[in-house]
């Protein structure tokens, strides 16, 4: 019964979605617990890049900022968008309105637009979405001043939210496919990213979404291969994985594309529903949404 009604529960929120945008070179308008601090590259205090580290090393996200923020106010009482120095790891992080209902989405240009299919899917499951990433990046690929996922996280090219979100979703691989990244490079950096996220958010659930592509028999090529590779990495780390390496042809969506790899608005809407349904089947509906649904049935 629950599965039969899944799609009907997902359709309505498509037009009424509250999404929190962060990261991606779009660090929220900085507010600080110390109004006298000077902004430096979108953050506060004197900052120096931190190395990306090696597998197995502690890899909490952010920058090694030398200037200290005023910690007199409890972070939960600070306005959303405040950049706060987390005393547990000495890293800059962003205060969000309600971390308990926030999903952190790490991704590329498939996820970056506010109307993107990964954001729609998470919003339809009852989450606010905090985006970390940028178009043109991936597990290995970088873009301009924004590094690949693990380097960007370590250098503070984008900042993680403060607190403990219930869910972190990692999406991507398309730019790695188009730029010739090897299986070994992709796997190594994906594993470093997973280790870093788990170190920073030990209580969060993780999910991975692969590389959107046509099927292997329909010209999916390297994109489909990378999707399968990421599925193998996810399985090795016991992370639920949604493979999308044949979705464009499986769901007859090649006519809903803006270009060779990106969707038009209709394509984003359809893929958002499909991904939401798949994540729902995997048990990723927001706990708050589950409670609200249970209360409505009483």
């Amino acid at each position: 019964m629950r599965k039969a009604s899944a799609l009907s529960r997902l359709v309505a929120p498509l037009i009424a979605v509250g999404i929190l945008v962060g990261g991606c070179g779009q660090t929220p308008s900085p507010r600080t617990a110390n109004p006298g601090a000077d902004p430096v590259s979108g953050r506060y205090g004197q900052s120096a890049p931190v190395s990306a580290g090696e597998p197995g090393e502690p890899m909490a996200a952010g920058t090694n900022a030398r200037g200290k923020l005023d910690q007199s106010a409890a972070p939960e009482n600070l306005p959303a968008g405040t950049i706060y120095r987390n005393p547990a790891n000495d890293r800059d992080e962003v205060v969000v309105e309600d971390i308990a209902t926030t999903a952190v989405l790490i991704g590329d240009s498939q996820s970056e637009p506010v109307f993107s299919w990964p954001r729609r899917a998470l919003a339809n499951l009852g989450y606010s979405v905090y985006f970390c990433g940028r178009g043109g990046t991936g597990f290995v690929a970088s873009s301009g001043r924004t590094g690949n996922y693990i380097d960007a996280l370590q250098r503070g090219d984008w900042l993680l939210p403060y607190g403990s979100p219930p869910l972190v979703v990692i999406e991507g691989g398309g730019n790695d496919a188009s730029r010739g990244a090897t299986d070994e490079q992709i796997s190594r950096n994906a594993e470093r990213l997973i280790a870093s996220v788990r170190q920073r958010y030990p209580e969060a659930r993780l999910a991975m979404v692969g590389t959107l592509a046509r099927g292997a028999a329909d010209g999916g090529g390297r994109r489909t291969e990378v999707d399968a590779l990421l599925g193998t990495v996810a399985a090795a780390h016991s992370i639920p994985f949604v493979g999308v390496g044949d979705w464009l042809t499986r769901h007859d969506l090649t006519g809903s594309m803006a270009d060779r790899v990106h969707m038009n608005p209709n394509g984003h809407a359809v893929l958002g529903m499909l991904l939401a349904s798949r994540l729902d089947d995997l048990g990723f509906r927001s706990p708050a949404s589950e409670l609200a649904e249970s209360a409505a049935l009483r």
Side-chain angles (χ1 to χ4, degrees), residues 76-169:
E76 58 269 22
N77 297 326
L78 295 171
T82 299
I83 297 175
Y84 177 79
R85 179 65 47 74
N86 186 337
N89 55 33
D90 200 29
R91 307 298 177 116
D92 290 342
E93 296 176 346
V94 180
V95 176
V96 300
E97 185 170 349
D98 185 2
I99 193 65
T101 61
T102 296
V104 176
L105 173 61
I106 299 173
D108 54 20
S109 59
Q110 297 290 341
S111 293
E112 186 172 17
V114 294
F115 54 83
S116 72
W117 54 278
R119 296 203 201 199
R120 285 173 178 265
L122 292 170
N124 288 335
L125 295 177
Y127 297 97
S128 295
V129 179
Y130 182 94
F131 176 63
C132 295
R134 189 169 189 176
T137 66
F139 295 96
V140 179
S142 61
S143 176
R145 296 179 61 185
T146 303
N148 63 48
Y149 293 166
I150 184 61
D151 288 345
L153 182 152
Q154 291 304 313
R155 296 194 314 230
D157 297 348
W158 37 257
L159 305 179
L160 289 175
Y162 175 83
S164 181
L167 176 63
V168 178
V169 176

Side-chain angles (χ1 to χ4, degrees), residues 194-225:
I194 290 166
S196 182
V197 170
R198 281 181 163 163
Q199 186 268 340
R200 175 58 190 87
Y201 296 129
E203 297 180 0
R205 299 182 69 191
L206 269 64
M208 291 182 68
V209 178
T211 308
L212 184 66
R214 295 166 171 81
D218 298 294
R222 182 59 177 159
R223 294 178 68 90
T224 299
E225 292 175 357

Side-chain angles (χ1 to χ4, degrees), residues 1-13 273 277 285:
M1 183 125 176
R2 176 179 179 274
K3 189 167 183 179
S5 61
L7 280 177
S8 63
R9 293 201 311 269
L10 297 172
V11 173
M273 282 204 309
S277 180
R285 180 169 289 273

Side-chain angles (χ1 to χ4, degrees), residues 235-255:
H237 292 270
S238 301
I239 297 173
F241 178 76
V242 180
V244 293
D246 65 351
W247 275 25
L248 291 177
T249 44
R250 184 200 297 188
H251 298 291
D252 194 23
L253 287 169
T254 55

